[in-house]
Amino acid sequence: MQSLRSNSVVIKLLTYSNELSEGKPLYVSSNCLPVKALNREPAGHSFHSAALKLRGCAKKVVEDKEDTSSASPKKVANDVEDIPSYETYKNSSSNKEKKKKNKSGKEVKEQHDHYALLGLGSLRYLATEDQIRKSYRDAALKHHPDKLAAALLLTEESEEAKEAKKEAIESHFKLIQEAYEVLMDKTKRRIFDSTDEFDDEVPSECAPKDFFKVFGPAFKRNARWSVNTRVPDLGDENTPVKEVDSYYNFWYAFKSWREFPEEEEHDLEEADSREEKRWMERENARKTQKARKEEYARIRTLVDNAYKKDPRIVKRKEEEKAKKQAKKDEKVMAKKKLEEEAAAAIEEEKRRKEEEAKLAAEAAQQQKKNKEKEKKLRSKERSRLRTLSAPVLSQRLLGISVAYVEDLCMSLNTEQLRNLCDKMENKEGMKLAKVLKNGNNDETESEEEEVKQNGHVEANGFATQSPRAAAMV
């Protein structure tokens, strides 16, 4: 027997007694209240700690325990921690079993927090199966009725209180087992996770600088419902646009596994007939389908709001808008340039035509002047020829007549008339007549043929010929 002195009170710690080996009831006395042993041995750390706690002499020990959430914080606890009673658990703010109304107005009971029962309240839907198994083993060992009954019964005096405490311990342990069964069943766990507390709020407005702070957590919250567990990350302002497009493509094609059991208004077990049960199933399915549509609409609203406010998308849209505007301006400028070139071409053509018309008018004017000048020169040479021919005509040499001279004046051009007159200068008599007679010898063969065909003309009893014919003779 070991003794421990505290506040001048001697406390004797009981050790194993051979009288209990057969498991018969035995009353023993110690420094604590009398205990009916039954088949439980009044010994061990739990028994001694409970006894010391009743006398106010419990020793507090610092223990290092590995947390189920892969963390290892140090906890300060007694040799035997306080066992949370079932009533305390039910009345807690986070795990209280109360009635609430679903959307249809029907009262439904809230489920117990299975994650909190296994010590996974901080992980919740992120907890893995291995963590659930390990937490269940720890919780089962810690809250097993066989382990807690002997210690907790020491704290109660009346039989009614002991029986109530015993029922509370057993009920709590059953809840732990139920929590393990639900969380290890994929279908049941999805239903429980779907009814677990969740923030359905969808952000709508935010400053560009706060976009990732506002919409990042919203997407992470809703990613828990994704069928595809590999959910991409929203990234930051430096994320490539290609990855941003891939991110929004994922969310626009988002598939959710979220269930809506609270929408099932009718309890199939309350159906009075097969027809009523089928009707209830159809109604429940219809309401569930409606809830799913609302859920997808909510997700779509979240994605649409984020897409409109995403500074990376806004920046790309502005760049695309600027490019389109640049192309539009380029087309306008090209069209304007073509119009200007066409107008310039028309103006140039107009100017060219005006220039040509001006040149044509000037040429016509010059030609008119030349003709008048030529006419004057020819008239002068004709007068000169007539003057030079006057002696020949007066003497009637070689049969030259006035008609012949006039024919020369009318048939010869100015240059020919000048040459003929120059040859006739300073000549007299027959020489002058011969020159005048041969004055048309420079004409072409066609003219000579014409002279031959013209014949001769009789005048004053003399046989006369045309100037061209005379020239040929």
Side-chain angles (χ1 to χ4, degrees):
M1 182 176 293
Q2 185 180 1
S3 298
L4 176 64
R5 183 176 297 274
S6 176
N7 296 328
S8 301
V9 177
V10 178
I11 300 175
K12 297 182 179 180
L13 301 182
L14 300 178
T15 59
Y16 185 81
S17 176
N18 291 327
E19 286 85 356
L20 299 176
S21 59
E22 297 179 357
K24 297 179 180 180
L26 177 67
Y27 287 91
V28 295
S29 297
S30 66
N31 53 352
C32 62
L33 295 177
V35 176
K36 189 175 181 180
L38 297 179
N39 61 341
R40 295 186 178 87
E41 152 186 22
H45 296 291
S46 297
F47 179 84
H48 293 164
S49 298
L52 293 173
K53 187 176 180 181
L54 290 175
R55 299 299 300 269
C57 303
K59 292 177 62 179
K60 295 186 177 180
V61 183
V62 178
E63 296 179 351
D64 293 342
K65 259 191 172 181
E66 181 181 357
D67 189 10
T68 55
S69 60
S70 71
S72 57
K74 291 184 177 181
K75 296 182 179 180
V76 179
N78 296 328
D79 287 344
V80 173
E81 299 178 359
D82 292 339
I83 306 302
S85 67
Y86 175 63
E87 294 296 329
T88 303
Y89 173 76
K90 288 197 300 180
N91 295 328
S92 63
S93 60
S94 60
N95 305 312
K96 185 164 57 177
E97 184 181 19
K98 61 181 180 180
K99 291 185 178 181
K100 65 175 182 178
K101 293 184 179 180
N102 59 8
K103 294 181 180 180
S104 60
K106 183 178 179 180
E107 291 186 349
V108 294
K109 288 185 179 181
E110 284 190 353
Q111 300 185 72
H112 294 284
D113 192 341
H114 300 314
Y115 290 110
L117 284 166
L118 299 183
L120 298 172
S122 59
L123 289 178
R124 310 200 72 77
Y125 71 96
L126 297 175
T128 63
E129 291 187 358
D130 291 338
Q131 290 173 325
I132 293 172
R133 291 191 187 94
K134 185 176 185 302
S135 298
Y136 170 69
R137 287 196 297 267
D138 295 342
L141 290 174
K142 181 178 179 181
H143 300 288
H144 197 282
D146 294 342
K147 182 176 181 181
L148 299 180
L152 292 179
L153 290 177
L154 295 175
T155 62
E156 303 296 339
E157 297 181 1
S158 64
E159 291 295 331
E160 292 79 4
K162 292 178 181 179
E163 191 65 26
K165 182 65 67 176
K166 180 180 178 182
E167 290 179 0
I169 293 172
E170 292 177 352
S171 298
H172 186 260
F173 186 72
K174 287 180 181 179
L175 288 177
I176 292 175
Q177 290 178 318
E178 180 185 351
Y180 177 73
E181 292 175 359
V182 170
L183 297 182
M184 290 302 294
D185 187 289
K186 184 176 293 186
T187 302
K188 292 181 180 179
R189 184 179 180 184
R190 279 193 172 185
I191 294 175
F192 176 75
D193 287 340
S194 298
T195 58
D196 199 4
E197 184 178 358
F198 179 72
D199 183 7
D200 284 328
E201 183 182 359
V202 175
S204 57
E205 297 294 334
C206 71
K209 62 180 181 179
D210 298 329
F211 172 78
F212 297 99
K213 295 180 181 179
V214 173
F215 282 92
F219 278 110
K220 286 184 178 179
R221 285 198 307 269
N222 289 275
R224 66 183 290 182
W225 310 122
S226 177
V227 173
N228 186 357
T229 56
R230 300 182 64 180
V231 180
D233 188 65
L234 180 60
D236 53 26
E237 61 274 4
N238 298 320
T239 303
V241 179
K242 186 176 181 181
E243 295 183 11
V244 176
D245 289 336
S246 177
Y247 179 82
Y248 283 105
N249 289 337
F250 173 87
W251 279 98
Y252 274 120
F254 184 80
K255 292 183 179 180
S256 174
W257 55 260
R258 189 176 185 181
E259 301 289 343
F260 299 92
E262 68 276 3
E263 296 298 330
E264 296 181 359
E265 179 181 3
H266 303 284
D267 188 357
L268 301 182
E269 295 181 357
E270 297 178 358
D272 296 333
S273 62
R274 184 187 305 173
E275 289 75 13
E276 184 179 3
K277 183 177 181 181
R278 290 177 179 174
W279 178 82
M280 288 181 176
E281 289 176 348
R282 288 194 298 270
E283 285 296 307
N284 289 342
R286 182 179 63 82
K287 291 182 179 295
T288 301
Q289 185 65 23
K290 181 181 178 182
R292 287 199 178 99
K293 288 182 179 180
E294 292 176 354
E295 174 68 4
Y296 278 108
R298 187 185 67 82
I299 296 293
R300 182 60 180 261
T301 302
L302 170 64
V303 182
D304 288 341
N305 292 347
Y307 194 83
K308 292 177 183 177
K309 298 295 181 180
D310 196 325
R312 301 164 298 185
I313 301 298
V314 173
K315 181 180 178 182
R316 182 178 66 180
K317 287 183 177 180
E318 291 177 352
E319 292 176 352
E320 291 176 350
K321 185 178 180 180
K323 288 181 180 178
K324 289 182 180 179
Q325 187 63 35
K327 289 182 179 179
K328 185 177 179 180
D329 294 342
E330 185 178 354
K331 288 182 180 180
V332 172
M333 292 299 295
K335 184 179 180 180
K336 185 177 179 181
K337 185 177 179 181
L338 290 175
E339 291 176 353
E340 291 177 353
E341 290 177 353
I346 293 173
E347 188 67 24
E348 179 66 21
E349 182 67 16
K350 182 179 178 181
R351 187 191 63 78
R352 184 183 64 78
K353 288 182 178 180
E354 290 177 353
E355 187 70 21
E356 289 179 353
K358 183 179 179 181
L359 292 176
E362 292 178 355
Q365 186 69 21
Q366 186 64 30
Q367 187 177 5
K368 184 178 180 181
K369 290 180 179 180
N370 292 337
K371 284 182 179 181
E372 291 178 356
K373 184 178 180 181
E374 181 69 18
K375 185 178 180 180
K376 290 179 180 180
L377 291 175
R378 184 178 295 177
S379 178
K380 181 180 178 180
E381 294 299 329
R382 284 174 180 173
S383 298
R384 184 183 173 194
L385 178 61
R386 290 188 186 102
T387 302
L388 293 173
S389 302
V392 176
L393 293 175
S394 62
Q395 298 176 12
R396 295 188 178 186
L397 299 176
L398 299 177
I400 297 174
S401 65
V402 176
Y404 176 79
V405 174
E406 289 299 325
D407 191 18
L408 285 177
C409 289
M410 299 306 296
S411 62
L412 298 181
N413 58 31
T414 304
E415 186 66 24
Q416 290 173 339
L417 289 171
R418 186 184 295 112
N419 292 336
L420 180 58
C421 291
D422 290 342
K423 291 178 182 180
M424 293 172 65
E425 286 286 343
N426 302 323
K427 290 186 174 55
E428 297 177 354
M430 291 300 294
K431 290 183 179 180
L432 181 60
K434 287 181 180 180
V435 172
L436 183 61
K437 194 73 174 176
N438 298 324
N440 201 25
N441 58 359
D442 293 334
E443 291 187 318
T444 60
E445 294 180 358
S446 60
E447 292 176 342
E448 292 176 355
E449 291 293 328
E450 183 182 354
V451 171
K452 290 180 182 180
Q453 294 176 4
N454 286 336
H456 61 277
V457 180
E458 292 185 359
N460 297 326
F462 295 97
T464 60
Q465 295 175 330
S466 66
R468 292 186 178 87
M472 293 302 296
V473 177

